Amino acid sequence: MLHARIAARAFNTPLLVEPSKAMAFLSGLGPRILGRQVELADGVDAEDGAPSLTARAGILAGNLTERLQQHGNAPYPIVDGIAVIEISGVLIHRGSWIGQSSGQTSYEGIAAQIEAAASDPAVRGIALEIDSFGGEVAGVFDLADRIRAIRGSKPVWAFVAEHAFSAGYALASQADRILLPRTGAVGSIGVVVIHADLSGQLDEDGVRVTLIHSGMHKVDGNPYEPLPENVRNEIQREIDVLRFLFSETVAAGRAGRLSQEATLATEAATYRGTDAVIAGLADEVIDLTRGFARFRESLSVPSPTARLPHAAHTKPMEVAMNAHRDTAEETPETTNTEDTAMESTAESSDALDDAGGVQEEDPAPVAAAAPLPAPAAAQPSNLAELSVQLREAAAEIAEIAAQAGRLGITIDAAKALRDGTAPEALRKLVLQRAAAAADARDIVAAPPSPVLPKSLESPIVAAAKKAASAGSRG
C-alpha cells in the first residue's frame, strides 16, 4: 500500500463516520493510497487545508492551560464571554495540533481547548461549532465524557453548522442544547469498518503476497486475501459492542430527552431539521446567528426555577403551583389571570385534603420539543426571560400532564405540544377540572329520610309564635 499511515487509519479499524462520506473518501483518495482504482464490494465505483497552529496538545503532557495563563493568546475566539470551539472535518485520535489541519480535527486538540476554556475566568460559556461527518472511534468517547463533565461548571451549547454525524454527533450530544438550521442534519449513530481486498488485482498483476506470521489471528483482515467468514463475524461482534457504547454515551449526554433504547432504534439513520427535534436528537431548529444570540442572553440571567418539583408526599396541584409562585416572585408584573389561577389552586388543594394525600412519583422524562409560544397572561420583562420560558415550556407541559394524571384528569401532552398550547393555559384547564371534581364531591342533595323523625320546631320560633298569638288576643 502507498501512504501506509493514512491506510492504517482508514482500513480494518472501526470508524464513526457517515457511510457516504467514507465512500467519497475511497473514491477520491483510494487510488492514491492503494496505488490502483478502488472497486467497492457492492459494485459501486468508488485538499490540503489551512496550516496547523503552533499550539500543540497531548493526552498525558498537554499544558495548553498553563501556557495560556503565562502567555495568553487563547486558541479559540471569545465572543461576549463565550469560547467558540470549532469541530470540523475528519475527527482523529493522536493529532497533537490545536484546531483544524488539512481537513482534520484532533480529539486531543478539542480536549485541550475545552479544558482551557473551562479554566479561563473570562469564559462564561462554551459553544461547539460542529460540521463533521465523523471520524475515528479511538478517543471519541473519552472526549465526550469530558465535555459532559465540563458542562456541570459552564454551559455548553452545540451549534450544528450543517452536519454532526457519527463521531461528530457523539460530541454534540454531550452539550446542554443542540441547535441546528433547517437544512442541518444529525445522527448516524453507528459504526463501520472498511476492508480492502486486493487479492484479485494482485492476481491480475501476477503478484503473490505471502504473510509469514506467528499467532492464528495475527493477519486477520489483511488486504491480500478475501475476508474469511470467521474474521468477518468477529469484526461484526466488535462493532456491535462499539455501537452499544456509542448509544450509551449519547443517552448519557441527552438524559431525559433521548434514551439508549431510542438511540439504538434509529439504526444509524440521519435526521434533518425538525425531524431531528421530533426524534429527540436536537433541541431547536433556528438560524445559528439567532441561536448564538440566545445563548448570550441565557448567560445574562439566572438559571430558571420554573420546573415543577418532584416530592414523595405532596398534593400534585399544590406542588405544580409552587413553581408558579416562584416565577411570580421573580417577575413583579403579575397579572390578574395569574392571581386567579393561584387562588383556584388553593381551593383545589383544600378539596384534595378531603380526599386524602396522593402519592407523588417522578414523572417519566420526555424528549425536548420545539419552543412554544409565550403565554399571553405572563409577558416577560425582557427577551432573556422569554427565552428561558420557551425552553422550559415543553417540559412543563409534560410534567403538568403527569401531575394531572395522578388526580384522575387526562391531559394529552403530545397534542398540547403539537397545538402549541402554553403551559399556563394547560395548568388553568387542569385547575378548572379539579375544581369541578371537588364541587361534585362537596355538594350532596338527598331527600328527607323516611326512617328518622322530623326535626322539632325551633324553641325560639315557637316562643315567638306564642307571644304573637297572646298579643292578638289581648
Side-chain angles (χ1 to χ4, degrees), residues 61-402:
N63 61 344
L64 178 62
T65 302
E66 290 78 2
R67 283 183 293 184
L68 290 180
Q69 291 173 348
Q70 295 176 4
H71 308 292
N73 300 323
Y76 42 74
I78 300 178
V79 181
D80 292 339
I82 301 175
V84 180
I85 298 176
E86 183 181 2
I87 302 175
S88 60
V90 179
L91 307 179
I92 70 167
H93 181 51
R94 299 297 295 165
S96 59
W97 63 85
I98 304 296
Q100 189 190 72
S101 176
S102 299
Q104 298 176 330
T105 302
S106 75
Y107 295 136
E108 289 73 28
I110 299 170
Q113 291 178 81
I114 64 172
E115 294 286 357
S119 304
D120 190 345
V123 173
R124 297 182 297 147
I126 300 174
L128 304 179
E129 184 177 343
I130 303 175
D131 189 4
S132 172
F133 281 80
E136 296 179 341
V137 169
V140 66
F141 299 130
D142 290 339
L143 176 56
D145 291 343
R146 294 170 80 174
I147 294 174
R148 188 169 68 252
I150 283 175
R151 81 184 194 192
S153 57
K154 293 185 179 181
V156 180
W157 285 26
F159 297 83
V160 179
E162 294 306 319
H163 304 100
F165 290 147
S166 215
Y169 185 72
L171 302 182
S173 66
Q174 305 309 301
D176 293 294
R177 288 181 63 77
I178 300 177
L179 282 65
L180 76 168
R182 290 172 295 176
T183 55
V186 296
S188 190
I189 306 172
V191 188
V192 62
V193 169
I194 302 172
H195 175 264
D197 180 5
L198 305 180
S199 58
Q201 182 67 45
L202 293 175
D203 288 342
E204 291 181 8
D205 295 343
V207 177
R208 183 176 298 278
V209 177
T210 301
L211 297 175
I212 302 173
H213 59 93
S214 177
M216 183 174 61
H217 300 290
K218 185 64 178 178
V219 296
D220 282 356
N222 75 81
Y224 307 117
E225 62 180 3
L227 193 64
E229 187 67 21
N230 66 314
V231 176
R232 180 186 182 91
N233 292 340
E234 181 60 25
I235 293 174
Q236 183 66 56
R237 186 197 67 79
E238 179 185 3
I239 64 176
D240 286 345
V241 171
L242 289 172
R243 176 171 170 249
F244 185 87
L245 178 58
F246 190 174
S247 65
E248 187 177 55
T249 301
V250 170
R254 301 285 296 166
R257 294 166 288 183
L258 187 66
S259 67
Q260 185 174 5
E261 292 75 14
T263 301
L264 290 170
T266 65
E267 293 293 345
T270 60
Y271 299 83
R272 190 176 301 276
T274 54
D275 289 339
V277 175
I278 295 172
L281 273 71
D283 297 293
E284 185 174 356
V285 175
I286 189 173
D287 173 75
L288 295 189
T289 301
R290 291 175 51 221
F292 190 76
R294 183 169 295 178
F295 189 21
R296 293 201 309 266
E297 293 159 3
S298 72
L299 296 176
S300 64
V301 295
S303 299
T305 58
R307 287 186 180 274
L308 299 180
H310 307 316
H313 297 280
T314 313
K315 296 181 285 294
M317 295 307 299
E318 182 178 336
V319 171
M321 293 308 298
N322 283 340
H324 183 71
R325 294 190 186 97
D326 292 341
T327 305
E329 290 173 1
E330 293 176 1
T331 307
E333 300 176 2
T334 304
T335 64
N336 293 333
T337 303
E338 290 173 324
D339 292 338
T340 303
M342 293 175 69
E343 292 172 2
S344 300
T345 302
E347 296 173 2
S348 299
S349 298
D350 292 338
L352 286 172
D353 287 338
D354 296 336
V358 178
Q359 179 72 21
E360 173 71 8
E361 297 176 357
D362 288 341
V366 295
L372 302 176
Q379 294 295 335
S381 57
N382 54 55
L383 187 58
E385 291 181 17
L386 174 61
S387 175
V388 170
Q389 291 184 15
L390 292 178
R391 290 197 302 271
E392 297 299 320
E396 270 198 81
I397 284 181
E399 293 189 25
I400 291 170

Side-chain angles (χ1 to χ4, degrees), residues 19-53:
S20 64
K21 201 68 172 180
M23 298 304 101
F25 166 81
L26 287 178
S27 298
L29 295 181
R32 295 173 61 184
I33 296 173
L34 302 175
R36 53 185 55 81
Q37 187 64 37
V38 175
E39 181 179 346
L40 303 181
D42 59 3
V44 180
D45 292 335
E47 303 295 332
D48 290 343
S52 62
L53 301 178

